[in-house]
């Protein structure tokens, strides 16, 4: 009896989490798969007809939105890496006893609603706002210069809102780097740049790998930044899905678009993992 309890103990420990995932993830996912293959409308109801055209029609109709979402996601992810890596590096190696405080400052915007943070960018980037209005009054910018409703505004908002998702994993990876390894590299006549490229950067790749996944996936599926900071020509696929769900009540098409986006992101992540070398990343993380 005791041996049986010992074997069942690990499964009993993960049972609450497993039930949570089953009820709030697996079951809704299965229902959405079924809904994506249905036909009908909100008045007459929806019926299961295995209408695969929901996928092909959605992809052909909104293909440009998928491409734009992936492009914006890629650019925002690159911007996040460019900003997050130096910030994480400085906190990890030069933060001293105030590391927790600096990380708190990075996470501080998360204490404000996502919508409010995005709307604040709209006020900052307004044509006559605090920044552009002042520069125009000083004669440094032409009066017809604007930033809102441009790709730059959308990508800037995406980068700002999802930057902590890149900072934290990179910081964790850099925090695990033993400073003695850098000292050993310098003792072997390696310069600071060589020590970084040959020691610090390879050991921090697990954090970059995790940060890219944690950033690229939600950024590509976002619709708030494009709706607030962009214009009609900057619509992302998330905006289309939101419109189909809540405005048109076209649940099958919206579900099909959601799963198409999910499939594209999964394929992209798989290719990214193969290109970077998941095994090498995991081996570096285990050191």
């Amino acid at each position: 009896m005791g041996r049986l309890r010992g074997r069942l103990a690990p499964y009993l420990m993960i049972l609450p989490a497993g039930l949570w995932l089953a009820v709030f993830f697996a079951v809704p996912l299965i229902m959405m798969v079924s809904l994506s293959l249905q036909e009908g409308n909100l008045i007459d109801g929806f019926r299961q007809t295995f209408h695969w055209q929901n996928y092909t029609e959605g992809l052909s109709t909104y293909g440009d939105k998928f491409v734009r979402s992936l492009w914006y996601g890629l650019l925002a992810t690159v911007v996040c890496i460019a900003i997050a890596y130096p910030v994480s590096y400085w906190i990890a190696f030069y933060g001293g006893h105030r590391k927790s405080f600096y990380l708190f400052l990075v996470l501080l915007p998360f204490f404000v609603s996502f919508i409010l943070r995005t709307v604040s960018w709209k006020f900052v980037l307004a044509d006559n706002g605090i920044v552009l209005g002042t520069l125009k009054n000083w004669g440094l910018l032409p009066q017809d210069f604007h930033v809102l409703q441009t790709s730059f505004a959308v990508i800037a908002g995406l980068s700002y809102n999802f930057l902590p998702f890149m900072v934290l994993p990179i910081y964790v990876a850099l925090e695990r780097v033993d400073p003695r390894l850098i000292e050993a590299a310098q003792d072997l006549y390696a310069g600071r740049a060589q020590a970084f490229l040959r020691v610090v950067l390879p050991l921090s790749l697990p954090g970059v790998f995790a940060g890219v996944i944690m950033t690229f996936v939600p950024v590509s599926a976002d619709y708030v930044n494009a709706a607030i900071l962009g214009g009609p020509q900057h619509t992302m696929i998330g905006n289309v899905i939101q419109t189909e769900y809540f405005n048109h009540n076209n649940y099958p098409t919206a579900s099909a678009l959601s799963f198409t986006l999910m499939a594209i992101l999964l394929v992209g992540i798989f290719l990214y993992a193969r290109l970077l070398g998941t095994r090498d990343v995991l081996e570096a993380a285990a050191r």
Side-chain angles (χ1 to χ4, degrees):
M1 190 67 178
R3 182 177 299 178
L4 179 61
R5 290 180 179 177
R7 292 179 178 178
L8 293 178
Y11 301 99
L12 293 176
M13 292 178 65
I14 65 173
L15 182 60
L19 292 175
W20 179 274
L21 289 176
V23 173
F24 295 103
F25 179 75
V27 173
L29 203 64
I30 294 173
M31 294 177 63
M32 284 188 62
V33 170
S34 175
L35 184 59
S36 68
L37 298 174
Q38 295 180 16
E39 289 184 281
N41 53 65
L42 194 62
I43 298 176
D44 300 328
F46 300 95
R47 61 187 184 279
Q48 182 59 260
T49 60
F50 294 98
H51 191 67
W52 292 97
Q53 286 79 0
N54 288 335
Y55 286 88
T56 57
E57 292 175 359
L59 190 58
S60 61
T61 303
Y62 303 109
D64 59 328
K65 306 299 190 301
F66 281 105
V67 174
R68 184 180 297 122
S69 298
L70 296 176
W71 178 239
Y72 283 0
L74 178 62
L75 291 178
T77 302
V78 172
V79 172
C80 285
I81 293 176
I83 299 175
Y85 201 101
V87 171
S88 303
Y89 185 92
W90 188 88
I91 295 176
F93 291 103
Y94 300 101
H97 63 281
R98 295 185 177 180
K99 292 180 180 180
S100 299
F101 174 73
Y102 296 137
L103 290 176
F104 172 75
L105 293 180
V106 173
L107 295 174
L108 188 60
F110 273 28
F111 289 84
V112 181
S113 169
F114 185 87
I115 302 294
L116 291 179
R117 282 186 279 133
T118 308
V119 172
S120 67
W121 268 85
K122 185 174 182 178
F123 286 109
V124 171
L125 300 178
D127 292 347
N128 297 314
I130 301 174
V131 178
L132 297 185
T134 302
L135 294 177
K136 289 179 181 179
N137 292 334
W138 290 350
L140 299 177
L141 289 176
Q143 293 298 320
D144 58 348
F145 183 83
H146 72 281
V147 176
L148 287 178
Q149 297 188 355
T150 64
S151 299
F152 175 83
V154 177
I155 295 172
L158 291 170
S159 304
Y160 164 75
N161 279 308
F162 292 94
L163 181 62
F165 290 100
M166 186 68 72
V167 172
L168 292 181
I170 294 179
Y171 166 78
V172 171
L174 290 172
E175 178 68 13
R176 297 180 59 184
V177 176
D178 193 340
R180 291 175 297 181
L181 296 176
I182 304 176
E183 295 177 1
Q186 294 174 346
D187 291 339
L188 295 174
Y189 305 102
R192 298 185 64 177
Q194 287 182 319
F196 172 78
L197 294 175
R198 293 174 178 253
V199 178
V200 178
L201 183 59
L203 293 177
S204 65
L205 283 182
V208 177
F209 177 82
V212 168
I213 294 178
M214 293 176 61
T215 303
F216 179 73
V217 172
V219 164
S220 301
D222 183 74
Y223 64 92
V224 175
N225 288 272
I228 296 177
L229 302 177
Q233 66 274 26
H234 306 105
T235 302
M236 299 173 65
I237 191 60
N239 301 100
V240 176
I241 295 174
Q242 189 265 349
T243 301
E244 292 293 335
Y245 261 120
F246 298 106
N247 295 353
H248 300 162
N249 297 319
N250 191 359
Y251 302 146
T253 298
S255 300
L257 291 174
S258 300
F259 278 101
T260 302
L261 177 62
M262 182 186 301
I264 293 174
L265 292 177
L266 287 175
V267 171
I269 292 172
F270 174 77
L271 294 176
Y272 165 71
R274 290 295 299 269
L275 179 64
L276 187 62
T278 308
R279 179 178 298 179
D280 296 337
V281 169
L282 294 177
E283 288 178 355
R287 292 173 184 174

